Amino acid sequence: MAILAKTPPMGWNSWNTFGNNINEELVKSIADAFIQRGLKDAGYEYIVIDDCWSEKKRDNNGRLVPDKNKFPNGIKALTDYIHSKGLKFGIYSCVGTHTCAGFPGSFEHEFVDAVTFAEWGVDYLKYDYCYKPRNVAGEDLYKRMALALRNCGRNIILSACNWGNDGVQKWIRESGCHLYRSTGDISDNWKSIEGIMLSQLNNACFSGIDCWNDMDMLVVGMSGTGENEHVLSTGCNESEYKTHFSVWAMMNSPLMIGCDIRNMSEQTAAILTNKDIIALNQDIEGRAPYCIRQWNNLDNVFSLIKPLSGDASTTGCDYAVAMVNISDVKAEMSLQFFDIGLPYSSGLGLEFYDCWKHEVIGFFTERASIDIEPHECRVFRCKVKKV
């Protein structure tokens, strides 16, 4: 079986902005915008429709039926259109009898649904956790769908979405899923982003090649707009959205855009297509970051340190360093290089390249002390060099 998720998947999902208001023309226009706004060139490839795409009942053969009003030409015609753009298509179902919005789920229909998705040309399945019968383990249901997909005749990524329940990180890799939600649903505000970020700092090790820790879809660029009341909120400022994107990238979370990319601002486009940040997320080794706290401000300021791929016999291996200030006031992050395995006695230091300013800011030995604005994240790609 091929490795389908060598790096965290990148794409767009309909839920955050549109909720149940999805249709064929919307999804086609999103595919067009992928090309026009440079998202495909930046590495995004999956267009995923979430809940509410099907009729309320299966057909006489027990198969799922696309909503005739929303998708009059069916799903296969839509996937063909998306594939013609060089992109991939994702769809949604649920381990339970019904989806979260009350549409047919895949419980005891896993194998017929997997074949149906394969016939439609689906590349990605988001698999939710609502209306699961009480007396069956969710672990078994994810294994069942993973097995069904592996025998459907098509390579389809399986994205488990059980919101971090049931100790999912302890068993999800063995299930055959390619990514898994580790958190509750995100909202378009700073407190939601901060809460998710902090909840996952100790779980970074439960993520790696072909089974990634999904911290939920991005709200970058939503700015308090959208049709989904479950996600709609106050919005964030540009700095907070940069922090959101930076930390998700550093934590190896899939980067699934949730805003309406057809009318996103230039500032939003610049965040979502920042190739220096995306490169950290898509590093081929998929190393998890580790966290170092600011010694005199433990609750508010920390650094994430991530080893990156490279050849020590030629260019050497870079490190990604993200310095985060979650407090409401300006603060210092002093990173002691001894704490990342680089003692002063080694005769080595670090050259800091700023991934948001796209410039080298200096060469440091023993430590680097950076001032960080409230809710800001400074991200650096660091090269090990001789003093």
Side-chain angles (χ1 to χ4, degrees):
M1 191 72 180
I3 296 177
L4 302 186
K6 292 181 180 180
T7 58
M10 297 173 59
W12 176 89
N13 182 289
S14 62
W15 182 253
N16 281 2
T17 293
F18 297 101
N20 66 347
N21 297 317
I22 54 174
N23 58 67
E24 181 178 308
E25 292 308 313
L26 166 66
V27 179
K28 284 184 175 180
S29 67
I30 292 293
D32 295 340
F34 257 60
I35 310 301
Q36 297 162 1
R37 301 306 302 269
L39 294 174
K40 182 176 182 291
D41 289 340
Y44 296 90
E45 59 177 342
Y46 291 97
I47 294 178
V48 183
I49 57 172
D50 212 281
D51 205 348
C52 310
W53 62 265
S54 74
E55 297 284 353
K56 286 285 189 176
K57 293 184 178 180
R58 293 174 177 267
D59 67 16
N60 292 334
N61 296 315
R63 292 207 171 202
L64 293 166
V65 180
D67 186 300
K68 296 179 179 61
N69 294 317
K70 294 179 178 179
F71 301 96
N73 295 302
I75 299 299
K76 181 62 167 64
L78 182 58
T79 61
D80 287 346
Y81 184 85
I82 289 171
H83 290 159
S84 74
K85 301 287 183 178
L87 301 169
K88 296 180 180 179
F89 178 75
I91 206 165
Y92 169 99
S93 190
C94 195
V95 304
T97 59
H98 294 78
T99 70
C100 299
F103 293 83
S106 290
F107 180 71
E108 293 195 303
H109 295 271
E110 292 88 353
F111 285 83
V112 67
D113 286 356
V115 170
T116 300
F117 297 149
E119 291 175 353
W120 288 346
V122 169
D123 304 293
Y124 180 111
L125 173 63
K126 178 182 174 182
Y127 206 42
D128 221 331
Y129 209 52
C130 292
Y131 296 106
K132 177 184 74 66
R134 291 180 58 188
N135 295 320
V136 60
E139 177 181 354
D140 294 338
L141 296 182
Y142 282 110
K143 288 177 179 176
R144 189 184 298 176
M145 180 54 85
L147 181 62
L149 291 177
R150 283 171 177 257
N151 289 274
C152 72
R154 183 177 180 82
N155 288 333
I156 299 177
I157 279 185
L158 178 55
S159 170
C161 182
N162 86 329
W163 324 309
N165 291 340
D166 305 330
V168 60
Q169 71 273 9
K170 297 178 182 179
W171 51 260
I172 192 65
R173 177 172 289 278
E174 69 197 44
S175 74
C177 295
H178 301 96
L179 56 150
Y180 68 98
R181 271 281 296 284
S182 55
T183 73
D185 292 349
I186 196 170
S187 296
D188 183 22
N189 63 70
W190 170 250
K191 282 299 179 184
S192 177
I193 293 168
E194 178 189 23
I196 290 174
M197 177 181 10
L198 294 178
S199 76
Q200 294 308 300
L201 291 181
N202 293 326
N203 290 333
C205 59
F206 298 108
S207 184
I209 294 171
D210 224 26
C211 191
W212 303 101
N213 180 354
D214 179 6
M215 293 163 59
D216 205 4
M217 297 166 287
L218 299 166
V219 294
V220 174
M222 290 189 65
S223 302
T225 64
E227 303 171 26
N228 188 347
E229 61 182 12
H230 301 290
V231 181
L232 185 65
S233 188
T234 56
C236 299
N237 61 41
E238 184 179 358
S239 181
E240 290 166 342
Y241 281 142
K242 283 183 175 180
T243 297
H244 173 28
F245 190 66
S246 298
V247 173
W248 264 236
M250 285 288 294
M251 292 289 287
N252 294 332
S253 180
L255 301 178
M256 302 299 288
I257 300 169
C259 71
D260 185 349
I261 62 172
R262 301 172 302 176
N263 55 23
M264 63 180 172
S265 68
E266 291 303 318
Q267 291 83 1
T268 295
I271 294 173
L272 294 174
T273 61
N274 183 328
K275 292 188 176 182
D276 287 331
I277 301 294
I278 291 172
L280 307 181
N281 179 260
Q282 296 292 295
D283 188 78
I284 197 64
E285 286 192 13
R287 300 287 180 181
Y290 54 91
C291 182
I292 295 177
R293 300 278 182 171
Q294 170 63 12
W295 69 276
N296 61 351
N297 197 359
L298 296 173
D299 294 332
N300 295 312
V301 186
F302 60 88
S303 288
L304 295 174
I305 315 297
K306 180 177 179 179
L308 302 174
S309 59
D311 185 349
S313 66
T314 54
T315 59
C317 301
D318 294 351
Y319 282 76
V321 176
M323 298 180 173
V324 185
N325 176 14
I326 61 173
S327 74
D328 297 330
V329 296
K330 189 174 182 178
E332 174 203 52
M333 177 67 215
S334 178
L335 179 63
Q336 317 305 307
F337 292 172
F338 189 92
D339 290 336
I340 67 173
L342 190 66
Y344 181 76
S345 60
S346 68
L348 301 171
L350 294 176
E351 179 183 82
F352 273 55
Y353 170 85
D354 191 312
C355 292
W356 284 108
K357 295 181 178 179
H358 309 294
E359 63 184 19
V360 173
I361 67 163
F363 177 77
F364 302 90
T365 59
E366 199 166 9
R367 74 162 187 159
S369 181
I370 307 291
D371 289 332
I372 314 171
E373 297 295 330
H375 303 179
E376 184 184 36
C377 179
R378 300 287 302 276
V379 185
F380 307 97
R381 190 177 187 114
C382 300
K383 290 187 179 295
V384 180
K385 292 189 172 184
K386 292 183 179 180
V387 176

